[in-house]
């Protein structure tokens, strides 16, 4: 009997183009988990209070860097939180700083820490005009918040009501449709202009709403935009593995303490930073598309953001390992994705 050689893949070092590191005590866990593999990460600004100015982003960046291990080269790419009051001057300051790589649109109330978000995009036209002129990407949490719109339809309605008019008004604005969850969003981005792209999370590739709701409610699979039906999951897998340069890796790893998730009013967010590239490798392997992983994880993001691709490499082997039930997080613990189960791929160097 011939022993099958275990599968192995070497990639240019990937980056994470959508990440929540949180702040203070949380940074110890989040920075080291992400820096273990990723060269850079686009750091979301939804702190409390939110990161609304370049000055706040510079301070936050310094706190992240303080939490890197001694020889880590990990580079946090900072973002600003767009509000109804963001001025064009603030956008110019962000551009001049060289540390701000995007401005994040949270429709007010759409997700975790979005209360200070935008109530009406028309309030932001001066900021958007400046961004369009300077080439700074707008990163969007693409869901409407109207109470009458069903939670499973909020991304599709966002495309029709907000995104299409926005693109009409700002045809040159660079846009990343973050953490897309539907075939509607995947098809929209695929057929849009080249300066419109999307990130896809590992959980939206590996899970669908059955994993949230069948048999029991699984709060650790609750995130926003909420997991959709399996036909949408299939459309996301197709987009991510298509070889299109418009789709790239963004984990949306979003830690919450265990008690905040296992609650009668549980928070939205899934923590995947402990095993992100391994989870993506599983999804691409299952789709027989490991040859497309490097484009998605390591090339398309830097190309879109006009940054150089990383120079070093990582190697993964197909070898199962056990994910702990919990991980220490700030002054408590969190339940990571796949907790208590196995992951089929492992980073070896
Ligand atoms: N994705 C989530 O479910 N939660 C994110 C916010 C976000 O990205 O929408 C968080 O900050 O916890
Ligand atoms: Zn979001
Ligand atoms: Zn997010």
């Amino acid at each position: 009997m011939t022993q099958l050689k275990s599968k192995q893949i070497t990639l240019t070092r990937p980056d994470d183009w959508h990440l929540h590191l949180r702040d203070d005590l949380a940074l110890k866990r989040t920075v080291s988990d992400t820096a273990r593999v990723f060269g850079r990460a686009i750091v979301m600004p939804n702190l409390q209070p939110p990161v609304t100015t370049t000055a706040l982003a510079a301070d936050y960046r310094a706190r992240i860097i303080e939490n890197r291990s001694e020889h880590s080269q990990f580079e946090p790419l900072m973002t600003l939180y767009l509000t109804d009051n963001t001025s064009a001057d603030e956008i110019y300051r962000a551009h001049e700083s060289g540390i701000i790589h995007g401005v994040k649109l949270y429709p007010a109330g759409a997700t975790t820490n979005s209360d200070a978000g935008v109530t009406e995009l028309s309030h932001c036209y001066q900021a958007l005009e400046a961004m369009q002129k300077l080439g700074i990407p707008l990163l969007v949490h693409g869901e409407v918040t109207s109470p009458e719109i069903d939670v499973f339809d909020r991304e599709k309605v966002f495309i029709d009501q907000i995104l299409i008019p926005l693109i009409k008004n700002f045809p040159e604005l660079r846009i990343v449709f973050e953490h897309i969850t539907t075939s509607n969003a995947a098809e929209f981005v695929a057929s849009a202009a080249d300066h419109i792209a999307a990130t896809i999370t590992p959980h939206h590739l590996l899970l669908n709403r059955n994993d949230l709701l069948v048999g029991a409610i699984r709060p650790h699979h609750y995130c926003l935009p909420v997991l959709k039906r399996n036909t949408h999951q299939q459309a996301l897998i197709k987009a991510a593995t298509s070889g299109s340069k418009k789709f790239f890796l963004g984990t949306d790893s979003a830690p919450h303490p265990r008690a905040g998730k296992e609650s009668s009013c549980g928070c939205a967010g899934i923590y995947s930073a402990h095993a992100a590239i391994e989870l993506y490798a599983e999804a691409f392997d299952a789709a027989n598309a490991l040859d497309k992983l490097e484009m998605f994880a390591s090339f398309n993001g830097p190309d879109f953001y006009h940054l150089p691709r990383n120079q070093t490499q990582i190697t993964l082997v197909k070898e199962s390992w056990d994910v702990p039930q919990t991980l220490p997080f700030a002054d408590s613990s969190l339940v990571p994705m796949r907790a208590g189960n196995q992951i089929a791929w492992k980073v070896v160097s």
Side-chain angles (χ1 to χ4, degrees):
M1 214 172 85
T2 45
Q3 184 92 37
L4 276 177
K5 200 169 166 261
S6 77
K7 271 204 219 172
Q8 175 171 321
I9 176 171
T10 295
L11 306 172
T12 297
R13 184 173 301 284
D15 306 296
D16 186 348
W17 302 94
H18 181 132
L19 176 67
H20 300 271
L21 291 173
R22 312 300 191 209
D23 206 350
D24 303 323
L25 291 178
L27 293 173
K28 187 165 178 266
R29 155 116 265 132
T30 58
V31 174
S32 66
D33 279 353
T34 291
R36 176 184 64 98
V37 166
F38 293 106
R40 297 163 288 194
I42 285 276
V43 179
M44 290 294 136
N46 63 333
L47 303 182
Q48 274 179 318
V51 182
T52 51
T53 65
T54 301
L56 287 168
D59 291 348
Y60 183 29
R61 182 172 182 275
R63 295 195 294 281
I64 295 166
I65 286 180
E66 261 166 45
N67 278 275
R68 284 190 315 205
S69 66
E70 207 182 328
H71 299 293
S72 173
Q73 306 277 309
F74 172 69
E75 195 187 336
L77 307 173
M78 308 310 291
T79 60
L80 288 191
Y81 186 113
L82 187 68
T83 73
D84 287 353
N85 303 314
T86 306
S87 65
D89 281 353
E90 194 59 58
I91 300 299
Y92 278 91
R93 267 195 291 280
H95 184 65
E96 277 154 27
S97 75
I99 61 164
I100 308 289
H101 296 266
V103 176
K104 184 69 192 270
L105 164 62
Y106 289 105
T111 186
T112 304
N113 298 346
S114 63
D115 296 347
V118 170
T119 61
E120 257 297 337
L121 250 193
S122 59
H123 297 155
C124 304
Y125 272 24
Q126 287 176 349
L128 293 171
E129 219 148 82
M131 288 165 61
Q132 174 169 256
K133 196 163 155 205
L134 297 169
I136 302 181
L138 178 72
L139 317 180
V140 302
H141 179 109
E143 288 191 291
V144 293
T145 55
S146 334
E148 71 275 12
I149 306 294
D150 188 89
V151 70
F152 290 102
D153 297 335
R154 288 180 172 200
E155 186 172 279
K156 181 187 178 329
V157 175
F158 181 88
I159 297 171
D160 299 333
Q161 289 188 356
I162 313 287
L163 195 54
I164 291 174
L166 174 69
I167 292 169
K168 205 161 163 242
N169 289 327
F170 297 94
E172 314 270 291
L173 182 63
R174 300 162 53 66
I175 297 175
V176 184
F177 198 163
E178 298 288 346
H179 50 40
I180 59 167
T181 64
T182 58
S183 59
N184 313 84
E187 284 159 21
F188 182 83
V189 170
S191 59
D194 280 355
H195 60 278
I196 296 171
T199 53
I200 305 181
T201 75
H203 44 280
H204 289 101
L205 293 175
L206 289 165
L207 305 171
N208 61 60
R209 66 193 192 183
N210 280 6
D211 299 296
L212 175 67
L213 295 169
V214 167
I217 187 156
R218 291 170 206 280
H220 299 293
H221 288 168
Y222 176 60
C223 62
L224 287 168
V226 72
L227 295 170
K228 305 299 191 298
R229 63 163 66 239
N230 63 351
T231 48
H232 292 294
Q233 180 192 7
Q234 292 311 316
L236 299 176
I237 294 169
K238 196 171 144 221
T241 61
S242 65
S244 160
K245 59 180 195 271
K246 306 184 124 227
F247 300 101
F248 42 85
L249 186 158
T251 62
D252 194 21
S253 179
H256 291 273
R258 181 177 192 165
K261 302 273 306 165
E262 296 177 8
S263 154
S264 61
C265 185
C267 303
I270 296 177
Y271 190 73
S272 59
H274 63 301
I277 195 66
E278 296 87 337
L279 291 162
Y280 281 111
E282 266 193 17
F284 277 66
D285 190 16
N288 260 319
L290 278 172
D291 60 320
K292 300 293 192 320
L293 183 59
E294 187 176 41
M295 275 192 80
F296 176 81
S298 317
F299 294 167
N300 295 347
D303 293 356
F304 180 87
Y305 276 90
H306 300 151
L307 291 168
R309 296 174 181 179
N310 290 321
Q311 297 291 318
T312 54
Q313 295 186 316
I314 64 163
T315 297
L316 294 113
V317 293
K318 193 165 188 179
E319 197 181 301
S320 295
W321 57 283
D322 293 314
V323 179
Q325 294 282 1
T326 63
L327 296 172
F329 174 61
D331 53 3
S332 59
S333 65
L334 60 73
V335 178
M337 190 169 167
R338 256 330 139 70
N341 282 300
Q342 293 201 320
I343 291 183
W345 284 83
K346 193 175 179 175
V347 173
V348 287
S349 66

